[in-house]
Amino acid sequence: MTASSSVSRDMASSRIFETLKQDVIRGRFAAGEKLAISALKNHYQVGLSPLREALNRLAAYGLLEQVNQRGFRVPAMHLEELDDIAGLRTQLECMALTQAFQAGDSEWESQVLAAHHRLRRADEHPERVEEWEQAHLRFHRALLASCGSHWLLRFIEQLHDQFDRYRRLAPPNPAVRKALDRQHGELVELALSRDIRAARALLDDHIRMSHSVARGCCASPASDDAT
Amino acid sequence: MTASSSVSRDMASSRIFETLKQDVIRGRFAAGEKLAISALKNHYQVGLSPLREALNRLAAYGLLEQVNQRGFRVPAMHLEELDDIAGLRTQLECMALTQAFQAGDSEWESQVLAAHHRLRRADEHPERVEEWEQAHLRFHRALLASCGSHWLLRFIEQLHDQFDRYRRLAPPNPAVRKALDRQHGELVELALSRDIRAARALLDDHIRMSHSVARGCCASPASDDAT
DNA sequence: CATCTCAACAAAATCGATTTTTTTACTCAA
DNA sequence: TTGAGTAAAAAAATCGATTTTGTTGAGATG
């Protein structure tokens, strides 16, 4: 197709930004760990300048911390912060959901259905975790996409990334996964019938469930060591 | 004082970040303008690396846009986006205000009073605009500081910066300023008496007033030109 | 024995130069 | 006149080297 021919590959700094972002979210670094810049440079095989630009962007995004003359570190994790993130995420997503239901047109409905279908398909291959993760993210994006607020969506995305950092510490749990998946189906139905009240309650539950799972794994936090 | 002796000056990149941030917010660049990197380098007298790191941070923060292989530009301004920013800011600040009133202790009350006093003092020198602006920002920060949510405060700060970019386009208006200042005083009283309902209504009005002022100046937007 | 100093070391931040990409200006043909 | 093609110019991105700053530990000092 013609569209894909315009794939002007992005800059090294953008590529390394995405890679590092995923690696932080997936917990490939220890919480509180100091990032040795030259080690990263060798590991990812990139130059110093694009690497530093990526680190700066990640720090501004909140997935790294920058200390004055002593480089970058992965933020420590605290139960307290998880609760903050989950609580705010619930409020913002419910807000967006309401607006999305009010403003959503039939194109939105189609996208939600499509995203849900992809999510169910991804569920058939339990071994490909990352594909499911991506489909899951996209489903929730699609559900709120029609809310009409650029900034609300932006903050929700940011909170989602923060939340995922905690959630992914927890080991996979088929029972929970199954329950969450049932909720996804119900959310689609409620979207089509525009049942705002029920959908808000369900989304609240949905996040609460993930929250409590993540909470269990954050309880004994190998957090704020540094040395 | 001893505290100020620990002024380990920050890196060049942080300094230029702050400078550029203020310059964008204060409208020293045209909306939609492309930033010529080497021109900035000369103008601010900094090296390329710290400059680029600052630009990357600003882009991640949302005060600049980064296009793939063609550098950075100041975001265009749209009435539609102003409405989005103002609406979301109202919701988030009211949310934070409620929590701040519930969780605020006497230390918080003291800080609010102190910030309000500084704001009134700054008001006595109408010529020093930036001092008033800073005091104003700090007053609103102090009012919400005890809300207990790091991330909520972070998002509010970000929206505040975005909002200011629009608000500062409007010419100074003594009548409006006076009305806003009266509201600041009322907010302090409502904070001390913990009158959540009244305070939310007042804060809503407060933002709405600034919003409509900014809206007047955004109506004929010299916005998305680029050439 | 604890603490301080300072040199050697390691790491981060910055600079200057090079490489890559985009934009501009121009030529020639339809 | 217009439009495609192309070479020169400009700008952005990246690299390698240098400078600056923080850290460590041996030896001196109280």
Side-chain angles (χ1 to χ4, degrees):
Chain A
M1 63 199 259
T2 357
S4 70
S5 69
S6 66
V7 282
S8 64
R9 64 209 172 291
D10 16 45
M11 314 174 285
S13 65
S14 299
R15 257 178 298 131
I16 187 62
F17 171 82
E18 288 300 332
T19 306
L20 269 171
K21 179 178 165 185
Q22 292 309 320
D23 284 353
V24 172
I25 291 174
R26 292 176 192 174
R28 303 218 178 148
F29 303 101
E33 178 182 350
K34 180 175 189 310
L35 295 181
I37 294 194
S38 65
L40 294 178
K41 184 169 109 61
N42 295 330
H43 180 61
Y44 294 105
Q45 287 293 299
V46 290
L48 216 59
S49 310
L51 176 58
R52 284 192 61 89
E53 290 184 12
L55 291 170
N56 272 278
R57 281 198 244 172
L58 276 170
Y61 188 68
L63 279 173
L64 287 180
E65 284 169 357
Q66 188 168 21
V67 197
N68 218 332
Q69 300 274 57
R70 56 201 72 165
F72 298 84
R73 61 173 56 248
V74 179
M77 294 169 88
H78 303 284
L79 197 49
E80 196 186 20
E81 199 198 20
L82 171 59
D83 293 343
D84 181 20
I85 291 166
L88 190 54
R89 192 187 152 201
T90 302
Q91 300 212 64
L92 296 197
E93 289 212 18
C94 284
M95 194 183 291
L97 191 74
T98 302
Q99 296 169 211
F101 276 27
Q102 286 164 348
D105 57 6
S106 67
E107 176 56 26
W108 167 69
E109 295 175 356
S110 307
Q111 294 294 337
V112 169
L113 279 169
H116 183 240
H117 181 70
R118 283 186 217 104
L119 180 58
R120 292 184 72 83
R121 282 292 188 211
D123 221 14
E124 295 169 1
H125 302 278
E127 72 282 7
R128 304 192 200 162
V129 181
E130 287 311 325
E131 284 184 25
W132 183 86
E133 288 288 352
Q134 191 181 28
H136 184 227
L137 172 63
R138 288 185 176 169
F139 170 74
H140 280 280
R141 259 197 216 139
L143 194 64
L144 307 179
S146 65
C147 84
S149 170
H150 165 80
W151 282 96
L152 184 51
L153 291 178
R154 181 180 175 127
F155 292 150
I156 287 172
E157 186 92 9
Q158 206 168 342
L159 284 174
H160 197 282
D161 285 336
Q162 293 290 333
F163 187 81
D164 263 17
R165 226 186 128 220
Y166 287 87
R167 184 180 59 79
R168 283 176 179 249
L169 288 182
N173 182 331
V176 170
R177 160 83 69 101
K178 203 178 163 193
L180 291 173
D181 260 323
R182 184 166 39 248
Q183 293 183 324
H184 292 142
E186 293 173 32
L187 279 169
V188 173
E189 287 180 34
L190 294 173
L192 294 179
S193 61
R194 297 292 200 284
D195 188 337
I196 292 178
R197 186 162 300 274
R200 284 181 69 120
L202 185 56
L203 185 59
D204 188 288
D205 250 29
H206 191 70
I207 297 174
R208 192 183 310 280
M209 192 179 300
S210 293
H211 180 193
S212 65
V213 169
R215 222 164 181 281
C217 259
C218 192
S220 54
S223 307
D224 40 347
D225 59 285
T227 352
Chain B
M1 57 199 262
T2 356
S4 70
S5 68
S6 67
V7 281
S8 64
R9 65 209 171 289
D10 14 45
M11 313 174 285
S13 65
S14 298
R15 256 179 297 131
I16 186 62
F17 171 82
E18 287 300 334
T19 307
L20 270 170
K21 179 179 167 184
Q22 293 307 320
D23 284 352
V24 171
I25 291 174
R26 292 175 192 175
R28 303 217 178 148
F29 304 100
E33 178 182 349
K34 181 175 189 312
L35 295 181
I37 295 195
S38 66
L40 294 179
K41 182 170 110 62
N42 294 330
H43 180 61
Y44 294 106
Q45 287 293 301
V46 290
L48 215 57
S49 310
L51 175 59
R52 285 192 61 89
E53 291 184 12
L55 292 170
N56 272 278
R57 280 198 245 174
L58 276 169
Y61 189 68
L63 278 173
L64 287 180
E65 284 169 357
Q66 187 168 23
V67 197
N68 219 332
Q69 300 274 48
R70 56 202 70 166
F72 298 84
R73 61 173 56 247
V74 180
M77 294 169 87
H78 304 283
L79 195 50
E80 194 185 20
E81 199 198 20
L82 171 59
D83 293 343
D84 182 19
I85 291 165
L88 190 54
R89 191 188 152 200
T90 302
Q91 300 212 64
L92 296 196
E93 289 213 17
C94 283
M95 194 183 293
L97 190 74
T98 302
Q99 297 168 210
F101 276 28
Q102 286 164 348
D105 57 6
S106 68
E107 176 56 27
W108 167 68
E109 294 175 356
S110 306
Q111 293 295 336
V112 170
L113 279 169
H116 184 240
H117 181 71
R118 285 187 215 103
L119 180 57
R120 292 185 73 83
R121 282 293 188 210
D123 221 14
E124 293 170 3
H125 302 278
E127 72 283 6
R128 304 190 201 165
V129 181
E130 289 310 326
E131 283 184 25
W132 183 86
E133 289 287 352
Q134 192 182 27
H136 184 226
L137 173 63
R138 289 185 176 171
F139 170 74
H140 280 279
R141 259 196 217 138
L143 194 63
L144 307 179
S146 66
C147 84
S149 170
H150 166 79
W151 283 96
L152 184 52
L153 291 177
R154 180 179 176 130
F155 292 150
I156 287 171
E157 186 93 9
Q158 205 169 343
L159 282 174
H160 198 280
D161 285 335
Q162 292 291 333
F163 187 81
D164 263 16
R165 226 186 128 220
Y166 286 87
R167 182 180 59 80
R168 283 177 179 247
L169 288 182
N173 181 330
V176 170
R177 159 82 69 101
K178 202 178 165 194
L180 291 173
D181 260 323
R182 183 165 42 245
Q183 294 183 324
H184 291 142
E186 294 173 32
L187 278 170
V188 173
E189 287 180 33
L190 294 173
L192 294 179
S193 62
R194 297 292 200 284
D195 188 339
I196 292 178
R197 186 161 300 275
R200 283 182 70 119
L202 185 56
L203 185 58
D204 187 289
D205 249 28
H206 191 69
I207 297 174
R208 192 183 311 281
M209 192 179 299
S210 293
H211 180 193
S212 66
V213 169
R215 220 162 182 282
C217 259
C218 190
S220 55
S223 306
D224 41 346
D225 61 284
T227 352

